[in-house]
């Protein structure tokens, strides 16, 4: 599980840092459309999912304690879900990606 978590984390880092490099010089208001919009949505979609997979395995490793709301890993698992909902849900991110791919 630790190996899977590490691999997910490294993939998420690579995609996120690559995207940050690409948007670094974007002028204000230059995002939100076209290729960069699709790539941002893809990075956010992947990062949210990867975080949830990592947190799910974190809970699993902690066994019963991971299920108890008082534990830190449980708090992280519950709050991590916002990464798939906040600032555009996974479904909305997929609509953006598919919409751009189908142009
Ligand atoms: C803790 C927290 C903090 C937040 N902070 C902010 C903030 O700072 N700024 C801000 O602007 N917003 C914020 N939000 C709002 C957040 O961005 C919205 O909750 C999120 O975009 C989903 O919108 P909704 O809750 O209206 O769900 P809905 O739009 O009602 O969606 C419900 C479900 O239906 C799915 N869905 C909706 N439309 C489609 C479609 N066309 N196709 C397929 N599936 C669809 C969604 O993916 C979701 O799973 C916050 C939310 C939370 C919980």
């Amino acid at each position: 599980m630790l190996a899977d978590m590490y691999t997910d984390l490294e993939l998420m880092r690579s995609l996120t840092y690559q995207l940050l490099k690409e948007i670094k010089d974007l002028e204000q208001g230059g995002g939100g459309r076209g290729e960069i919009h699709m790539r941002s949505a893809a990075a956010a979609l992947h990062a949210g999912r990867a975080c949830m997979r990592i947190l799910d395995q974190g809970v699993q490793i902690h066994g019963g304690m991971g299920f108890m709301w008082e534990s830190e890993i449980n708090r992280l698992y519950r709050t991590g879900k916002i990464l798939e909902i906040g600032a555009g849900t996974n479904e909305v991110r997929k609509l953006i990606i598919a919409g751009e791919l189908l142009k």
Side-chain angles (χ1 to χ4, degrees), residues 4-17 46 54:
D4 283 335
M5 292 159 84
Y6 170 79
T7 306
D8 259 340
L9 185 63
E10 285 304 302
L11 278 171
M12 174 175 40
R13 270 204 185 115
S14 303
L15 186 56
T16 305
Y17 290 172
H46 180 266
I54 290 168

Side-chain angles (χ1 to χ4, degrees), residues 21-66:
K21 239 194 282 176
E22 289 173 30
I23 64 173
K24 189 165 61 74
D25 298 323
L26 211 62
E27 79 277 12
Q28 204 167 9
R33 60 181 182 275
E35 171 97 8
I36 199 70
H37 195 204
M38 173 176 73
R39 292 179 60 73
S40 306
L45 177 67
H46 180 266
R49 282 174 170 172
C51 275
M52 281 316 292
R53 276 197 303 272
I54 290 168
L55 289 168
D56 183 57
Q57 285 169 317
V59 168
Q60 195 68 21
I61 285 171
H62 282 76
M65 204 53 220

Side-chain angles (χ1 to χ4, degrees), residues 82 85-89 91-92 95:
I82 194 63
I85 295 173
T89 61
E91 289 70 34
V92 170
L95 284 176

